[in-house]
Amino acid sequence: MAISVAGAIQTIIEKTNRTNYEFLPIEQSIHRICAQNIFSTHALPRFDNSAMDGYAIRFEDRNVPLKVVDTIFAGDDKTMDLNANECVKIMTGAKIPDNCTAIVPQEDVKELDKQTIQVPSNIKENQHIRYIGEDVKLGEAVVLEGEKINFAKITLMASQGITHIKTFKKPKVVVFASGEELKLHYEKVKEYQIYNSNTPTLIARSEEMGCEVNFIGQARDSVESIKEHIENSLDADLIITSGGVSVGEADFTKEAFTQVGFESFFEGIIVKPGKPTIFGQIGSTLVLNLPGNPLASSLIFELFGKILIQRLKGESSCFPNTILGKMDEDLKNKQGRVTIIPGFFNGEYFTASQKRSPGMVSVLAKCNSMIVLNEDVQMIKKDAPIKILPINWEFFTDEEKDYLTYE
Ligand SMILES: Nc1nc2c(c(=O)[nH]1)N[C@H]1C(S)=C(S)[C@@H](COP(=O)(O)OP(=O)(O)OC[C@H]3O[C@@H](n4cnc5c(N)ncnc54)[C@H](O)[C@@H]3O)O[C@H]1N2
Ligand code: MOO
């Protein structure tokens, strides 16, 4: 029985989670998912310090000549108090005297003689002081379980003296396809054969998403061959196949999966394209059977496969997020199923791809995003607000844009 889009997502979330972990040096943890809660053990700044090279003074002394009694450098371990009408020369990052209430930058100060300075009277109390804990408080969350490690989290961890971090292991994914008409790209094709473009696509996309992907060749269209490929893949967390899920007479995928103890969670999603998608498991290995049609298989991977992999990675952000844009021209739609429309978003307008039949191969090479229309949508008017889901998305463009924000 085919399931709704929302039901399919719910099932994927319920059936998928992550527990295996490994410890990594923080520099190698980039793009991995944190498997522990880390809280700060050092406040940042660790102590009140100067943000400028200049003079540390008591604010109440700003109108009188000040005697320079000492110099404090960053890294000095000096604890002191200022007496009335005294100041110290101080460097950026150096610990300030306990009762210092303003730093005056060197260039704002008038030297009266070698030992005496006068500061401008219009300075502000607490200026140029970086206070303990204003950046990171003691006990504040640094990285939480389920968060993705990016360069900025590495900054935070390094600033806390953390050397290693518990991360979820990369999900192990196996990708293969079946079909007598298919040849892999390094093989010779006869006139009646085509290249298998789905397997390399799904391998690349899974790898891009942070999986450890194994390539195990291609099954022939026979139950025995597909079974052999499945049995060889049962140490994986996820098997992704494409093709053979429909009702054709040469579609042996279902039969082969049944024979190795496949339990299905759903068979078919009420979505266009990609309705014949199947999701289930064999033992502890999850299985996503995508349709053979190349565009259908890629779009289903984008909407459902990515959620599945986010979950397998242990990432708490696993639901698709959207960006608001506008439709660049009227778009007609056939009602009945939730429909995935690939297209190109230029930062303001979304242009639906003219080519989008499920069997096409070339479509996503010219797209960077998609929209997902509810089943009752007949028409999206030009300029209507729409929710855009990124696909190939890096925030760069080939035309130079004015990126400044104006009042
Ligand atoms: N009578 C029906 N026929 C079909 C139905 C249906 O409901 N009733 N559904 C159609 C839909 S929708 C889809 S999607 C396809 C799904 O078919 P399969 O998943 O069984 O895929 P195949 O039959 O093996 O192939 C379909 C198509 O895609 C090409 N293909 C397959 N694998 C690859 C690959 N790895 N790389 C590139 N191209 C691939 C294959 O040559 C076929 O052209 O079924 C419809 N039919
Ligand atoms: O679902 Mo199949 O949608 O034609 O490609």
Side-chain angles (χ1 to χ4, degrees), residues 281-293:
Q281 69 182 8
I282 305 165
S284 59
T285 303
L286 294 168
V287 180
L288 181 64
N289 288 149
L290 297 169
N293 275 338

Side-chain angles (χ1 to χ4, degrees), residues 19 37 53 105 190-191 293 312 327 369-370:
T19 49
N37 292 329
D53 294 327
K190 304 243 167 58
E191 276 157 33
N293 275 338
L312 274 179
M327 201 70 203
S369 52
M370 60 192 186

Side-chain angles (χ1 to χ4, degrees), residues 273-276 291 293 296 337 358:
K275 188 166 176 245
N293 275 338
R337 277 189 263 168

Side-chain angles (χ1 to χ4, degrees), residues 100-369:
C100 158
T101 45
I103 300 291
V104 186
Q106 199 168 288
E107 53 276 29
D108 296 348
V109 162
K110 200 163 138 200
E111 270 190 31
L112 302 177
D113 61 47
K114 281 213 155 148
Q115 292 287 295
T116 322
I117 58 155
Q118 175 80 54
V119 304
S121 54
N122 62 352
I123 63 166
K124 295 202 177 76
E125 192 163 11
N126 302 324
Q127 71 172 32
H128 305 307
I129 298 175
R130 305 190 288 209
Y131 285 102
I132 182 168
E134 71 177 18
D135 191 355
V136 177
K137 289 192 185 54
L138 207 61
E140 199 174 296
V142 171
V143 197
L144 295 178
E145 179 172 335
E147 283 183 354
K148 188 172 186 170
I149 310 295
N150 57 22
F151 73 91
K153 305 277 185 198
I154 291 177
T155 309
L156 264 182
M157 290 191 282
S159 75
Q160 294 293 317
I162 293 163
T163 58
H164 288 70
I165 177 180
K166 186 176 168 186
T167 63
F168 290 115
K169 279 190 174 170
K170 287 185 171 192
K172 277 181 85 172
V173 175
V174 172
V175 181
F176 68 86
S178 62
E180 281 307 329
E181 79 280 26
L182 299 174
K183 286 282 168 198
L184 280 157
H185 46 290
Y186 47 79
E187 297 174 309
K188 281 212 168 95
V189 276
K190 304 243 167 58
E191 276 157 33
Y192 54 87
Q193 293 173 320
I194 60 162
Y195 283 118
N196 171 354
S197 53
N198 291 354
T199 298
T201 305
L202 295 164
I203 287 177
R205 197 64 169 132
S206 304
E207 244 165 33
E208 205 177 6
M209 287 197 65
C211 301
E212 188 190 308
V213 190
N214 285 115
F215 172 62
I216 58 159
Q218 183 184 298
R220 289 191 314 282
D221 245 359
S222 77
V223 173
E224 280 316 309
S225 173
I226 299 171
K227 259 173 73 178
E228 185 194 311
H229 279 71
I230 300 168
E231 279 159 355
N232 184 52
S233 312
L234 292 179
D235 61 334
D237 298 298
L238 172 66
I239 298 174
I240 305 177
T241 71
S242 67
V245 291
S246 172
V247 294
E249 286 181 15
D251 289 344
F252 299 115
T253 307
K254 267 188 207 166
E255 177 56 30
F257 274 95
T258 309
Q259 286 190 21
V260 292
F262 176 73
E263 176 202 349
S264 80
F265 302 137
F266 59 73
E267 296 194 8
I269 308 175
I270 308 167
V271 67
K272 199 172 64 181
K275 188 166 176 245
T277 303
I278 297 173
F279 177 52
Q281 69 182 8
I282 305 165
S284 59
T285 303
L286 294 168
V287 180
L288 181 64
N289 288 149
L290 297 169
N293 275 338
L295 181 59
S297 116
S298 283
L299 290 178
I300 291 295
F301 183 89
E302 287 305 309
L303 189 56
F304 302 96
K306 272 164 78 173
I307 297 175
L308 174 49
I309 288 177
Q310 289 296 91
R311 289 285 293 172
L312 274 179
K313 279 161 55 179
E315 190 157 357
S316 42
S317 296
C318 60
F319 297 103
N321 204 349
T322 59
I323 290 164
L324 275 187
K326 287 181 273 187
M327 201 70 203
D328 91 322
E329 56 189 7
D330 289 357
L331 176 76
K332 279 194 196 144
N333 182 54
K334 193 172 153 218
Q335 287 179 301
R337 277 189 263 168
V338 168
T339 304
I340 309 172
I341 311 262
F344 190 86
F345 180 55
N346 68 1
E348 191 176 3
Y349 284 96
F350 177 83
T351 308
S353 173
Q354 292 297 322
K355 291 184 180 179
R356 47 177 193 268
S357 88
M360 287 182 166
V361 172
S362 67
V363 179
L364 292 188
K366 295 192 181 71
C367 295
N368 64 359
S369 52

